[in-house]
Amino acid sequence: MDFHSILIMMVTLIVLAYIASAVFERFGLLGLIGEIVIGIVIANLAIGDWTLLGQLGIEMGDSMGGEPSQNYEIIELFAELGVIFLLFSIGLETKVKDLLSVGKAATLVAVMGVIIPFVAGFALIQIYDGNMHHALFMGAAMVATSVGITARVIKDMKKINAKESRIIIGAAVIDDILGMVVLAIVIGMASSEGGASNVALISIEALVFVLASMAAALWVVPKIYGFFEKRNKDKPASSRTSISRLVLAIMVCLGFSLIAYEIGLAAIIGAFLGGMLLAEYAHWWKLEERVESITALFISFFFLNVGMQVDLGSLTDVTVVALSIVVILLAIATKYIGCSVGAKMGDKTLSKGSRSIIGYGMVPRGEVGIIIAAIGLASGAMSSELYAVAIMMAVATTIIASPMLARAFKKEYPPEYDPTMEELV
Amino acid sequence: MDFHSILIMMVTLIVLAYIASAVFERFGLLGLIGEIVIGIVIANLAIGDWTLLGQLGIEMGDSMGGEPSQNYEIIELFAELGVIFLLFSIGLETKVKDLLSVGKAATLVAVMGVIIPFVAGFALIQIYDGNMHHALFMGAAMVATSVGITARVIKDMKKINAKESRIIIGAAVIDDILGMVVLAIVIGMASSEGGASNVALISIEALVFVLASMAAALWVVPKIYGFFEKRNKDKPASSRTSISRLVLAIMVCLGFSLIAYEIGLAAIIGAFLGGMLLAEYAHWWKLEERVESITALFISFFFLNVGMQVDLGSLTDVTVVALSIVVILLAIATKYIGCSVGAKMGDKTLSKGSRSIIGYGMVPRGEVGIIIAAIGLASGAMSSELYAVAIMMAVATTIIASPMLARAFKKEYPPEYDPTMEELV
């Protein structure tokens, strides 16, 4: 292990991300967008033969067999850990009862937010080049929802306890399950191996995992907790105990991420469910601030890495640019419309502003869209041209929708009249 | 990157370390010793062809050209980050003025703790096999002090503000500089290239770095801080600001680690100095608890990795076992005597109990002794037999001395009369 090179890379990236975030916030923009933008700059900065990536020992690899360098793999690992701990901390602030209370709305938001973008993406590419495999994968990439991005906005705005946030988070979990099903079907069709029974199996596994986690949070954890608290009630809680509890929470977080991963769900969905398992005790155990600190070390790598996927070189291709613009507009419109209509169907009491929050909250495709496009490229079912378009779509929806979400939140909850602030300050 | 395999490894190791630590603490032993012992078990557990390491995708590599696997490199990275953040948090609780007030004692402890073990180790191996290169490297390995181990004991016992702790920490910094000089000389002599001017250069660089950090902590940081506080005093400090400050602190921590590494000092010495830079504001910025949380994620990998270096197979060799016992006893005795005598010379007011704390605190060789032995083995200046002995010495001194240190602390500061507890509770 070349620790020296890793240290140089870590320091450089953390400093650049910090500056970009601070500059964007100075101008009233979201810090995470600054980090994504600086990621684009880092990946594309070249002066003659000199590249910043080369300087930092980062080789991102490619689908043509180019292997990523160790330093890039560490960025990927930190990015993944960052978003896992971010979703874990969102889970820690989400009680099962609150999530269940928005269950119907969340389900309809997820379903509508899957169907409409998929149909639109599929139809567009069918018209564009008539290749069904291309069309299927673009549809699947447009289905993705990056709850990581939205979660960060919600967390920064201290809106985790708002009803709209709970609907978005719940819908994102369901969306991930549906997205996995769509992807499994698409891969099955593209590789012309049926695999329908396989799709049914993983869907059932995923559903069982989600429901079992919720049931455990409601009925099993309180019993275990009660048992240990009774045993330990005569011992004073020291800072040692507090660290010990944090390590226990880390085990739950990574353990649930692992289970989700094994089933075929995104690891972050597991992390979220793991957090929810401890939500009733998180405040008492002072977990939020501690997990937040771990997240802070890693999370910039996540946003940087999203930006780093953009190859500005592909923008010299007029077709890619034109198609990207169409796909981006379609991706935003279909997800926004699908989700806000779903929200209206699921909960008549939601105001127009609330539906708008939910619509924008589901738009960012972020890393999930990128992963699906990469699977399509690697399996040969997607062209490199359409891959570039899908990356543009995933990053652009994130950059465009996050500020809209923030603005929609501010409009619906003006700071001075914000009913959710009191409990959080 | 095989994230799945990394996740399985992380969960397994964190769970095993947690259990081992809890079991040892249950029996009144130090948790970190449990983690080192479970590290030995993990590295040596084999049933027929099945090994736990193989199961976890860990290949540790060897000096004969065997490459470590990615999973093992991640253990090494986490171990290094863990001890870096641990020393950073020790730095955060160490004010320059407090360190300077024990400067004379710390210097004498370090100097005596370098000379006596080196002479003893050198003489022993000269008598044993007459090979001067072997003797030089064993002497250098016996000079090492693993402040990481001692720091953890001190931190767990909440004794960072005790005078003895400040002397140990100060002596460890000086010890690392002296150790680096010794190692440079030994490598120079072993490779029969003079390099004396090089030794002088890096010694001066190291001294300048340490003194400049202290000067910056005393005079530069307060000015910068005052400037920014004045600008921000009308803004309320939100949790966002608090995270932003943590990221700033992380930059200082990793940046100083990098500088130390560039100079040739251990990265952890840089991390400690970086922490000291912010010590006056750490409490106000609530940094301790946040850095402690980051440390908690990583630090078990550090103790596990120390244990994992032990190859129980080498214990079938009677010569290795016999020589190990002699070297271990000599390593403990010479460091203990050297440092407690140094303490007496440097500060006449220290009680016998205090000198005993300082003596035991400097005994653990931990990862530093292992690194020096590995350099010797890789450069061909040390035999594999003596390498095994040096590893045994490094691990055994750690396992034996840490509980002695804890006991010496408890004896000198009985819990009920502890004057340092009040300010910390």
Side-chain angles (χ1 to χ4, degrees):
Chain A
M1 185 191 62
D2 185 355
F3 185 65
H4 184 206
S5 157
I6 294 171
L7 209 47
I8 292 175
M9 177 190 76
M10 282 182 73
V11 172
T12 310
L13 294 185
I14 293 175
V15 169
L16 289 177
Y18 186 85
I19 294 172
S21 171
V23 169
F24 269 63
E25 282 180 0
R26 189 80 189 74
F27 288 99
L29 300 164
L30 291 175
L32 71 95
I33 304 296
E35 298 185 356
I36 294 175
V37 169
I38 198 77
I40 299 176
V41 173
I42 290 169
N44 291 280
L45 197 65
I47 301 162
D49 283 344
W50 184 95
T51 63
L52 183 54
L53 286 188
Q55 209 62 28
L56 297 175
I58 301 171
E59 283 160 39
M60 295 176 60
D62 53 51
S63 57
M64 307 307 161
E67 287 287 313
S69 65
Q70 182 170 49
N71 282 12
Y72 183 64
E73 296 196 312
I74 285 166
I75 294 179
E76 282 188 300
L77 175 62
F78 285 1
E80 186 75 29
L81 288 175
V83 73
I84 279 177
F85 282 106
L86 176 63
L87 265 288
F88 184 63
S89 70
I90 300 282
L92 287 175
E93 299 184 45
T94 309
K95 293 180 179 146
V96 177
K97 284 170 194 168
D98 297 340
L99 202 61
L100 287 177
S101 72
V102 297
K104 190 184 161 199
T107 308
L108 282 162
V109 166
V111 170
M112 295 298 288
V114 164
I115 294 174
I116 298 184
F118 182 82
V119 171
F122 181 83
L124 178 73
I125 303 301
Q126 272 290 8
I127 295 164
Y128 171 70
D129 71 1
N131 182 318
M132 198 184 73
H133 291 172
H134 291 180
L136 283 169
F137 263 97
M138 187 58 87
M142 282 178 65
V143 161
T145 295
S146 169
V147 65
I149 305 279
T150 298
R152 174 68 181 262
V153 177
I154 291 174
K155 205 167 159 55
D156 283 358
M157 301 194 75
K158 296 188 182 302
K159 289 287 176 295
I160 300 184
N161 291 317
K163 189 181 189 182
E164 295 86 350
S165 304
R166 292 204 301 268
I167 294 177
I168 293 172
I169 304 282
V173 172
I174 302 168
D175 181 287
D176 197 70
I177 298 176
L178 295 177
M180 187 192 66
V181 172
V182 169
L183 184 63
I185 295 171
V186 164
I187 292 175
M189 288 176 74
S191 65
S192 69
E193 300 162 17
S197 66
N198 200 20
V199 171
L201 182 69
I202 56 175
S203 313
I204 291 169
E205 280 180 356
L207 262 180
V208 169
F209 175 50
V210 172
L211 297 178
S213 302
M214 288 180 159
L218 283 177
W219 298 299
V220 183
V221 175
K223 291 227 169 85
I224 298 175
Y225 188 77
F227 174 74
F228 279 102
E229 282 307 286
K230 209 182 277 174
R231 272 189 45 193
N232 292 331
K233 73 166 188 280
D234 42 337
K235 288 188 202 159
S238 64
S239 114
R240 191 89 194 83
T241 321
S242 162
I243 283 289
S244 178
R245 283 169 176 172
L246 172 67
V247 177
L248 260 179
I250 290 172
M251 288 195 265
V252 171
C253 168
L254 296 179
F256 269 69
S257 300
L258 181 58
I259 298 172
Y261 203 94
E262 296 275 359
I263 293 176
L265 283 171
I268 56 173
I269 299 295
F272 168 76
L273 293 171
M276 214 166 56
L277 206 67
L278 306 177
E280 296 281 348
Y281 313 101
H283 193 69
W284 176 244
W285 280 20
K286 289 188 188 166
L287 285 176
E288 292 112 326
E289 202 177 81
R290 291 189 175 276
V291 172
E292 202 180 71
S293 305
I294 295 176
T295 310
L297 173 65
F298 293 126
I299 195 67
S300 294
F301 292 92
F302 172 72
F303 298 114
L304 287 173
N305 193 35
V306 168
M308 284 170 68
Q309 306 308 312
V310 174
D311 175 12
L312 290 180
S314 68
L315 292 185
T316 53
D317 184 335
V318 182
T319 335
V320 169
V321 175
L323 189 60
S324 292
I325 293 171
V326 177
V327 169
I328 291 165
L329 293 177
L330 202 65
I332 295 174
T334 53
K335 199 75 165 185
Y336 180 87
I337 293 169
C339 294
S340 48
V341 167
K344 194 171 186 176
M345 289 160 63
D347 185 345
K348 308 286 180 218
T349 67
L350 287 169
S351 70
K352 193 154 169 280
S354 297
R355 296 201 304 269
S356 186
I357 291 173
I358 295 166
Y360 285 125
M362 299 290 287
V363 168
R365 304 307 198 279
E367 84 290 1
V368 189
I370 292 171
I371 291 169
I372 293 172
I375 292 173
L377 184 64
S379 70
M382 216 168 183
S383 65
S384 65
E385 185 193 37
L386 282 178
Y387 174 74
V389 171
I391 300 293
M392 289 294 168
M393 183 274 292
V395 177
T397 50
T398 303
I399 295 180
I400 295 168
S402 315
M404 307 291 255
L405 172 64
R407 200 193 294 173
F409 258 128
K410 274 189 199 135
K411 212 167 149 192
E412 189 68 13
Y413 296 104
E416 54 269 44
Y417 304 112
D418 187 347
T420 65
M421 283 304 281
E422 211 165 340
E423 55 188 294
L424 283 155
V425 171
Chain B
M1 184 193 61
D2 185 356
F3 185 65
H4 184 205
S5 157
I6 294 170
L7 208 47
I8 291 175
M9 178 191 75
M10 283 182 72
V11 172
T12 311
L13 294 186
I14 293 175
V15 170
L16 289 177
Y18 185 84
I19 294 172
S21 170
V23 169
F24 269 61
E25 283 180 1
R26 188 82 188 72
F27 288 99
L29 300 163
L30 291 176
L32 71 94
I33 304 296
E35 298 185 355
I36 294 175
V37 169
I38 198 79
I40 300 177
V41 173
I42 290 168
N44 290 280
L45 197 65
I47 300 163
D49 282 346
W50 184 95
T51 63
L52 183 55
L53 287 188
Q55 208 61 26
L56 296 175
I58 301 171
E59 282 160 40
M60 295 175 61
D62 53 52
S63 57
M64 306 309 161
E67 287 286 313
S69 64
Q70 182 170 51
N71 283 11
Y72 183 63
E73 295 195 314
I74 285 166
I75 293 178
E76 282 188 300
L77 175 62
F78 285 1
E80 185 75 29
L81 288 176
V83 73
I84 280 177
F85 282 105
L86 176 63
L87 266 287
F88 184 63
S89 70
I90 300 281
L92 286 176
E93 300 183 43
T94 309
K95 291 176 182 150
V96 177
K97 284 170 195 168
D98 298 339
L99 202 61
L100 287 178
S101 72
V102 297
K104 192 185 158 200
T107 308
L108 282 162
V109 167
V111 170
M112 295 298 287
V114 164
I115 294 173
I116 299 185
F118 183 82
V119 170
F122 181 83
L124 178 73
I125 303 302
Q126 272 290 8
I127 295 165
Y128 172 69
D129 72 0
N131 181 320
M132 199 184 71
H133 291 170
H134 291 179
L136 283 169
F137 263 98
M138 187 57 89
M142 282 178 65
V143 161
T145 295
S146 169
V147 64
I149 306 278
T150 299
R152 173 68 180 261
V153 177
I154 292 174
K155 206 167 158 55
D156 283 358
M157 300 194 76
K158 297 189 180 301
K159 289 287 176 295
I160 300 185
N161 291 318
K163 189 181 189 184
E164 296 85 351
S165 303
R166 292 203 302 268
I167 294 178
I168 294 173
I169 304 283
V173 172
I174 302 168
D175 181 287
D176 197 70
I177 298 176
L178 295 177
M180 186 193 69
V181 172
V182 169
L183 185 63
I185 295 171
V186 164
I187 291 174
M189 288 177 74
S191 66
S192 70
E193 299 161 18
S197 65
N198 199 21
V199 171
L201 182 69
I202 55 176
S203 313
I204 291 169
E205 281 180 355
L207 263 179
V208 168
F209 175 50
V210 172
L211 296 178
S213 302
M214 288 179 159
L218 283 176
W219 298 301
V220 183
V221 175
K223 291 227 170 84
I224 298 175
Y225 188 78
F227 174 74
F228 279 102
E229 283 306 288
K230 209 181 277 172
R231 271 190 46 193
N232 291 332
K233 74 164 187 278
D234 43 336
K235 287 187 202 158
S238 63
S239 114
R240 192 88 193 83
T241 321
S242 162
I243 282 290
S244 178
R245 284 171 175 171
L246 172 66
V247 177
L248 259 178
I250 290 172
M251 288 195 269
V252 170
C253 169
L254 296 179
F256 270 69
S257 300
L258 181 58
I259 298 172
Y261 203 93
E262 296 276 0
I263 292 176
L265 282 172
I268 55 173
I269 299 295
F272 169 76
L273 293 171
M276 214 166 56
L277 205 68
L278 306 177
E280 295 283 346
Y281 313 101
H283 193 69
W284 175 246
W285 279 20
K286 289 187 188 168
L287 285 177
E288 291 112 326
E289 201 176 80
R290 291 187 175 277
V291 172
E292 201 178 72
S293 306
I294 295 176
T295 310
L297 174 65
F298 293 126
I299 195 67
S300 294
F301 292 93
F302 172 71
F303 297 114
L304 287 173
N305 193 35
V306 167
M308 284 170 65
Q309 307 308 312
V310 174
D311 175 13
L312 290 181
S314 68
L315 291 185
T316 54
D317 184 334
V318 182
T319 336
V320 170
V321 175
L323 190 59
S324 292
I325 293 170
V326 177
V327 169
I328 291 166
L329 293 176
L330 203 64
I332 295 174
T334 53
K335 199 74 164 184
Y336 180 86
I337 293 168
C339 294
S340 48
V341 167
K344 193 172 188 177
M345 290 160 63
D347 185 345
K348 307 287 179 214
T349 68
L350 288 169
S351 69
K352 193 155 169 279
S354 298
R355 297 199 304 268
S356 185
I357 291 172
I358 294 166
Y360 285 125
M362 301 290 287
V363 167
R365 305 306 198 278
E367 84 291 1
V368 189
I370 293 171
I371 291 168
I372 293 172
I375 293 172
L377 183 65
S379 71
M382 216 169 184
S383 66
S384 65
E385 185 193 36
L386 281 179
Y387 173 75
V389 171
I391 300 292
M392 289 294 166
M393 183 274 292
V395 177
T397 50
T398 303
I399 294 180
I400 295 167
S402 316
M404 307 291 257
L405 172 63
R407 201 194 292 173
F409 258 128
K410 274 189 199 136
K411 212 168 150 193
E412 189 69 12
Y413 296 103
E416 54 269 43
Y417 304 113
D418 187 346
T420 65
M421 282 305 281
E422 210 165 340
E423 54 189 295
L424 283 155
V425 170

